[in-house]
Amino acid sequence: MHLKIWKRMSLTLTLLGAMLYSLNCLAEKDEGTAMDIDIQWGAYYLTKEDNQYRVFRLLDFNRYAYHAAIFKETFTTRPTKDEILQLTPFIGHAPIDAKNLLQEDSIWLLASAPLKKEDLAGYRYYLEEQGMTTSELDELIQRIMEFSTQPPLQLQLEIVDDELEISQRG
């Protein structure tokens, strides 16, 4: 019983953190603004805001949302791959509107590491709460872990008619 209450509280806190993170990113971009980005499941990305580097790890991506682990540490200089790989997520899973990627002035793929089941525990719990069956979850988690061993996809993101358009570049 206590575990179920704890899981619900954990989900509520995760979603609250994700909402706050999303609201922090919501400066409107002009229609038609495009962005080139390399998307890699399991990759660590840097963003720069107020002369501070922030880190998130991409867990999953589609045209509606990206799912990320968010780190609380900030850096005054660009961190190294070794520094990033030593971090532990502050928020293990946050669903964020994929259009928010276009809100970032600077975003860099710094490092990647194949995802493991424990890296996706928060995402798995989120999907369980969304009603996904155990077999669907197992299949999706396995597919995501396989994606994380692949090279990045070279994509262009653009908002057209208030929808995120994704195309492959190169």
Side-chain angles (χ1 to χ4, degrees):
M1 179 67 177
H2 294 291
L3 182 59
K4 191 171 188 176
I5 292 170
W6 173 249
K7 283 185 175 182
R8 291 214 183 271
M9 285 177 44
S10 177
L11 177 64
T12 302
L13 290 172
T14 297
L15 293 175
L16 179 60
M19 288 178 6
L20 292 173
Y21 183 80
S22 292
L23 288 173
N24 192 36
C25 297
L26 280 179
E28 283 295 322
K29 287 282 186 176
D30 296 332
E31 180 80 11
T33 298
M35 169 191 199
D36 290 343
I37 187 169
D38 292 342
I39 295 290
Q40 184 173 17
W41 283 253
Y44 294 83
Y45 289 86
L46 290 178
T47 62
K48 191 171 184 182
E49 180 182 319
D50 299 327
N51 293 319
Q52 295 286 309
Y53 289 97
R54 300 184 188 287
V55 181
F56 72 89
R57 187 173 189 197
L58 186 70
L59 305 175
D60 198 4
F61 173 81
N62 61 53
R63 71 184 299 233
Y64 303 106
Y66 68 99
H67 299 266
I70 300 172
F71 301 87
K72 70 177 175 181
E73 292 85 357
T74 60
F75 301 87
T76 55
T77 60
R78 191 175 173 145
T80 66
K81 178 180 179 177
D82 289 337
E83 289 174 313
I84 295 298
L85 294 176
Q86 297 298 317
L87 298 176
T88 301
F90 175 65
I91 297 175
H93 169 256
I96 303 167
D97 187 329
K99 290 188 266 184
N100 282 345
L101 287 171
L102 289 160
Q103 310 303 324
E104 299 293 341
D105 291 330
S106 302
I107 186 168
W108 302 275
L109 188 159
L110 177 67
S112 66
L115 289 163
K116 298 175 279 192
K117 285 184 181 180
E118 53 269 17
D119 297 323
L120 297 164
Y123 187 33
R124 183 181 185 96
Y125 181 70
Y126 166 80
L127 293 170
E128 285 172 352
E129 290 296 311
Q130 301 302 310
M132 193 173 266
T133 67
T134 300
S135 62
E136 291 171 328
L137 273 168
D138 290 342
E139 183 180 326
L140 178 62
I141 296 299
Q142 186 61 41
R143 202 168 55 232
I144 289 171
M145 289 187 312
E146 288 171 12
F147 287 163
S148 73
T149 65
Q150 302 299 311
L153 297 174
Q154 298 178 332
L155 302 178
Q156 182 178 65
L157 308 180
E158 183 175 14
I159 297 178
V160 177
D161 296 327
D162 202 34
E163 294 291 325
L164 182 66
E165 297 285 329
I166 302 171
S167 57
Q168 198 159 1
R169 35 178 242 279

